Amino acid sequence: MGTKFEKDPVCGMMVSSDSELNYEYKEIKFLFCNPGCLEKFKNNPEKYLNQKSFEKMSDKIDSTDIEYTCPMHPEIVQLGPGSCPICGMALEPKTVTLVEPENEELKDITRRFWAAVVLSIPVFILAMSEFFSVLKIENLFSRGTIIWIQLALATPVVLWCGWPLLLRGWQSVLNKSLNMFSLIALGVSVAYIYSVIAAIFPGLFPESFKTHGGQVGVYFEAASVIVALILLGQVMELRARSKTGSAIRALLGLAPKTARIVRANGAEEDIPVEHIQKGDLIRVRPGEKIPADGIVVEGETSIDESMITGEPIPVEKRKGDTVTGATINATGSIVMRAERVGKETVLAQIVQMVTDAQRSRAPIQRLADIVSSYFVPIVIGVAVLTFIIWNIWGPDPKMIYGIVNAVAVLIIACPCALGLATPMSIMVAAGKGATFGVLFKNAEAIEQLRKVNTLVIDKTGTLTEGKPTLSQVVTINGWNEKELLQLVASIEKNSEHPLGNAIVKGAETRKVESLTVSDFKSVTGKGVTGKVNGRIVVVGKSDFLNEIGADPAALISKAEEMRKDGSTVMFAAIDNQAAGIIVVSDQIKESTFEAIHKLKKLGIRIVLATGDNQTTADAVSGKLGITEVIAGVLPDKKVEIVKKLQEEGNIVAMAGDGINDAPALAQANVGIAMGGGTDVAMQSAGVTLVKGDLRGIERAFNLSRLTMQNIKQNLFFAFVYNALGVPIAAGLLYPFFGILLSPMIAAAAMSFSSVSVIANSLRLRRVTV
């Protein structure tokens, strides 16, 4: 959603948003009612926009065009702000935007709160006049006059300031979904209506309603102060909830606004970043931000990618390397080709993934949902029971004690804190993870990751760089290296396998030209075959050569020697006769050693499952200290490995980066996709590591553990608060200590319980993982 104006800045007339008469000034699109106004504005824009009004207009977003949802009930979605029909809470924007839309709910509630404060203070002072003897209120007004003044002041507090609370309470009844506002509305209404009747018709009440002075007590101060305190809680809650999107908003704020495009004739021009098209050439100078995802086509530089990956060390980039939008060009000037723009960029996908995760529901939330569904009816029942018990066994005036304590029960028992306990923590955690390159697909992944005790990892692209390179060609039977490489590279050019691509690139580096291929065929998990210049060429595993009758025995010992160094070996046969081996190396990532060590310290069992030969797998695992290795695994067998581990009672996470890993990622309790991998793998995974660094798994584990700890703290506080608050409000302590809980204190306690849960959730923004 972009900045939108419907008022002509020159003449002030309202203009349709689809008007063709528009002009962009300081990155803001203005609309005009006629060509004359447009021309005047172009000639002297500052004449029509002073700085103050310009800033105000540039911050404006039309909130009615934004989808809003409820953090507790994400299935509720509507255009524009409002309240949830299930829990009554204020809805919030479904998607975080760079400029936060005006919170009309917060503005309205704040206005009502301050009005309630101004009017409630004199009501409270009048009600407690015996404690304010220095003011000599009793000398100024009679008791009857004081009651009428209280009625006059309390009425706007309850009926105007508290109207949103009463309305939501009534809507909860109509929707047959009792919630916190049901209790608030009932408590305030009982106190206010009783007081109005007592003020206007005191003669209707029997002796049991009268105080020792023979007067019927009124509780306008309770109704007024309860409304003011509940509104204060709502203001604090709305402000705190707006901070949950701060992490995403910070990421969005890092995106550049313009890009310097290089035209076909060599001319350079600055354009808005949203006008970039795929394939455009863009110059990025030192200190500027990368405007889109793309590939370096000219120059060398170092890029600060910390805003995406969380790693502070700049990454060297040269021709052919990929760059990510919103990262910072630190040193050299480069020309890049845009490959992904708009919603396709990594930054846009991160924002979307985090937003989806924030709106999802964790399994632990079901407990709070079940409790909340029964809680409100039970509380109403407890309030009624409290009223009856005080009327039977309470001291005089029995009815007054009964009403006051029943109202206190209704107010203090609001289950808002219980409902907020889980979604607030999930929203903050999902945003926190995005700041250091860990993206959670949903809340379930956050919860499940903490329970994982077994991690299955692929080798290529997970433990290693995922950038295999051709290191050696070994030939037999009279073939020379260049001839064999030419035939093999020609076949592999038709393959999409990473090892095949490494051979093709290696041939290009050695200036070996590829030839025309016919009858190409790929056999999953075994190799490829085809015809080149009339010769039958087969490339793959030794078993594949055996199947076609090309005995690879003469190459086995040399292949084993290469594998012991951690290299991957492919056998080649020409016209059904073994011709040589192609050796491809993929370096272990420097960060992998540290990551494996930390995961072991967390007590995670690590299993390496790879399609490589046992010798190669053992060489890599030996360097890393991984003791469980399953080699020679065909792509479809990884799923079976995960299933077998799950059947043994393990909670399994699977980390991989390729299309062939996608089924296993989906089968695992938590799939972890390396960010440098395929979109298919990322869609199948519950967690995505933007940088593709295994250290991110350890950080994800820690964040999951801290988040679940935070949720449990919230739930414990909410449960204990209600478990202790309701009996005290009902008067349990009165027979022993003479202590009663005022409805006003109950309102303050209820409001601050919700705020404390949100504040505890926001602590996750400051944790170090």
Side-chain angles (χ1 to χ4, degrees), residues 233-254:
Q234 291 288 294
V235 169
M236 295 175 69
E237 178 186 316
L238 288 167
R239 286 181 177 173
R241 279 166 56 187
S242 68
K243 295 179 182 178
T244 58
S246 60
I248 303 178
R249 198 164 282 117
L251 288 175
L252 289 171
L254 294 174

Side-chain angles (χ1 to χ4, degrees), residues 330-364:
T331 54
S333 176
I334 60 170
V335 175
M336 59 168 285
R337 182 175 65 250
E339 296 291 330
R340 292 187 175 190
V341 298
K343 294 183 178 180
E344 295 179 351
T345 63
V346 169
L347 181 62
Q349 291 180 45
I350 287 175
V351 170
Q352 189 58 52
M353 284 188 71
V354 174
T355 302
D356 291 343
Q358 288 183 335
R359 302 304 174 198
S360 61
R361 295 168 68 81
I364 197 172

Side-chain angles (χ1 to χ4, degrees), residues 69 130-132 215 220 247 272 275 300 318-319 326 346 371 434 450 456 479 499 504 506 516 645 696:
T69 186
E130 64 264 32
F131 298 107
F132 296 94
Q215 297 175 324
F220 289 117
H275 293 173
E300 295 184 2
R318 53 181 57 86
K319 185 177 179 180
V346 169
V371 172
R450 179 187 61 90
V456 179
W479 287 95
L499 297 179
V504 173
T516 304
L645 290 167

Side-chain angles (χ1 to χ4, degrees), residues 555-564 569 571 581 615:
L555 297 166
I556 296 298
S557 60
K558 185 64 176 178
E560 284 298 303
E561 182 183 331
M562 297 296 178
R563 286 167 174 160
K564 286 178 182 177
V569 177
F571 293 80
I581 57 174
T615 304

